[in-house]
């Protein structure tokens, strides 16, 4: 089923659905060459209209991820490398996949604290704090620092996909990232609608590059290991 949470910056429903299907492909829940169920059945399973489903399938076909055979049906055609708006989002439900979403908690332009690693060329950065979801379940807290040298963003222009916002508003795309995964404790700014069972959590630090620049972004993610796992697939 498509998530039911509503928030500012949510992507159009057909994009959400196409991204959810891509996540299921990447997780191995939809296999290369697999024939998809009839469209009406798929629309019922995902809790959407046939029209929205068809727009999502057309989006997948445009990305080369779907092969339509007249009189036979729709067939999965997996890419050699991960694609989609969330290709670099590594958290998944324990059952695999799950559609990422984000609720913005705060946006502030601040002087970089000395505790951050070196990135960018400015002494200032925009700090985004978000609550991350997979489907309807809150699974992580996220703090992102974007170097001021590439521009600043207000809360009003943010979409679910921050990388898509970078491209649309600041004219650059994140092309690679380096993750360091460890364990930590949740920060002290946990919002009331996120209630992890334990203060211990999985912890990801990420430096991100926008070619040909040096790293322009640093992020920290605290995730509940009882609700989600970090997955990196090697091919």
């Amino acid at each position: 089923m498509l998530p039911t949470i509503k928030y500012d910056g949510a992507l159009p429903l057909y994009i959400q659905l196409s991204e959810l299907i891509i996540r299921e492909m990447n997780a191995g829940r939809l296999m290369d060459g697999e024939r998809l169920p009839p469209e009406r059945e798929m629309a019922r399973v995902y809790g959407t209209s046939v029209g929205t489903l068809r727009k999502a399938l057309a989006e997948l076909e445009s990305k080369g991820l779907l092969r339509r055979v007249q009189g036979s049906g729709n067939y999965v055609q997996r890419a050699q490398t991960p694609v989609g708006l969330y290709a670099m989002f590594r958290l998944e439900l324990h059952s695999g996949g799950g559609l990422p979403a984000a609720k913005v908690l705060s946006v502030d332009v601040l002087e970089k604290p000395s505790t951050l690693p070196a990135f960018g060329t400015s002494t200032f950065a925009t700090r985004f704090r978000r609550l991350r979801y997979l489907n309807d379940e809150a699974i992580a807290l996220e703090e992102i620092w974007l170097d001021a040298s590439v521009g600043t963003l207000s809360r009003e222009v943010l979409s679910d996909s921050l990388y898509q916002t970078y491209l649309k508003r600041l004219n650059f795309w994140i092309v690679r990232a380096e993750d360091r995964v460890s364990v930590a404790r949740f920060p002290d700014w946990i919002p009331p609608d996120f209630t992890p069972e334990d203060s211990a959590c999985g912890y990801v630090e990420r430096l991100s590059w926008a070619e040909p620049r040096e790293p322009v972004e640093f992020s920290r993610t605290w995730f509940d290991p009882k609700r989600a796992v970090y997955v990196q697939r090697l091919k």
Side-chain angles (χ1 to χ4, degrees):
M1 295 285 290
L2 276 173
T4 57
I5 54 173
K6 301 295 182 183
Y7 36 78
D8 293 338
L11 298 168
L13 281 178
Y14 80 96
I15 295 293
Q16 291 185 43
L17 180 52
S18 68
E19 291 295 327
L20 177 58
I21 294 172
I22 289 172
R23 296 269 294 174
E24 292 183 341
M25 290 179 184
N26 292 338
R29 298 174 69 179
L30 290 173
M31 303 302 293
D32 188 30
E34 180 178 344
R35 180 182 176 182
L36 296 179
E39 292 179 354
R40 290 192 180 278
E41 182 180 338
M42 284 189 71
R44 178 184 59 78
V45 169
Y46 286 113
T48 190
S49 67
V50 173
T52 297
L53 174 71
R54 286 175 177 166
K55 289 181 70 175
L57 295 179
E59 183 73 12
L60 294 175
E61 187 178 25
S62 71
K63 288 180 166 67
L65 299 174
L66 189 75
R67 181 168 57 92
R68 292 183 167 183
V69 179
Q70 185 69 30
S72 179
N74 300 313
Y75 293 82
V76 173
Q77 188 168 281
R78 287 186 60 189
Q80 293 300 309
T81 57
V83 298
L85 296 177
Y86 302 108
M88 290 189 183
F89 189 75
R90 302 301 184 193
L91 297 182
E92 294 186 4
L93 297 172
H94 285 275
S95 58
L99 178 66
K103 177 182 178 181
V104 178
L105 303 176
S106 64
V107 179
D108 300 286
V109 178
L110 303 168
E111 188 170 6
K112 293 178 184 174
S114 60
T115 53
L116 298 185
F119 69 100
T121 59
S122 176
T123 58
F124 285 83
T126 304
R127 185 190 69 186
F128 310 95
R129 284 181 172 173
R130 305 196 297 178
L131 175 60
R132 295 306 304 254
Y133 294 83
L134 283 173
N135 293 347
D136 289 321
E137 188 166 14
I139 54 98
L141 296 175
E142 186 177 61
E143 183 179 273
I144 303 155
W145 294 82
L146 178 66
D147 190 66
S149 66
V150 295
T152 58
L153 295 167
S154 65
R155 185 174 187 147
E156 293 72 28
V157 303
L158 300 182
S159 72
D160 261 350
S161 170
L162 204 51
Y163 288 179
Q164 186 183 50
T165 304
Y166 293 166
L167 180 62
K168 182 177 180 181
R169 298 289 179 173
L170 301 177
N171 199 34
F172 74 88
W173 181 255
I174 297 296
V175 295
R176 68 184 181 96
E178 177 184 288
D179 287 353
R180 296 191 177 194
V181 185
S182 59
V183 295
R185 293 191 176 276
F186 281 105
D188 58 8
W189 46 271
I190 299 177
D193 45 349
F194 182 46
T195 53
E197 296 181 22
D198 197 329
S199 61
C201 62
Y203 179 59
V204 184
E205 291 184 311
R206 169 175 288 187
L207 279 170
S208 303
W209 281 259
E211 199 171 28
R213 302 185 178 102
E214 58 188 8
V216 295
E217 181 197 74
F218 172 71
S219 67
R220 297 187 264 214
T221 301
W222 299 263
F223 68 92
D224 186 344
K226 294 183 179 180
R227 305 180 189 184
V229 292
Y230 179 94
V231 179
Q232 173 68 59
R233 294 183 175 85
L234 305 177
K235 295 185 179 181

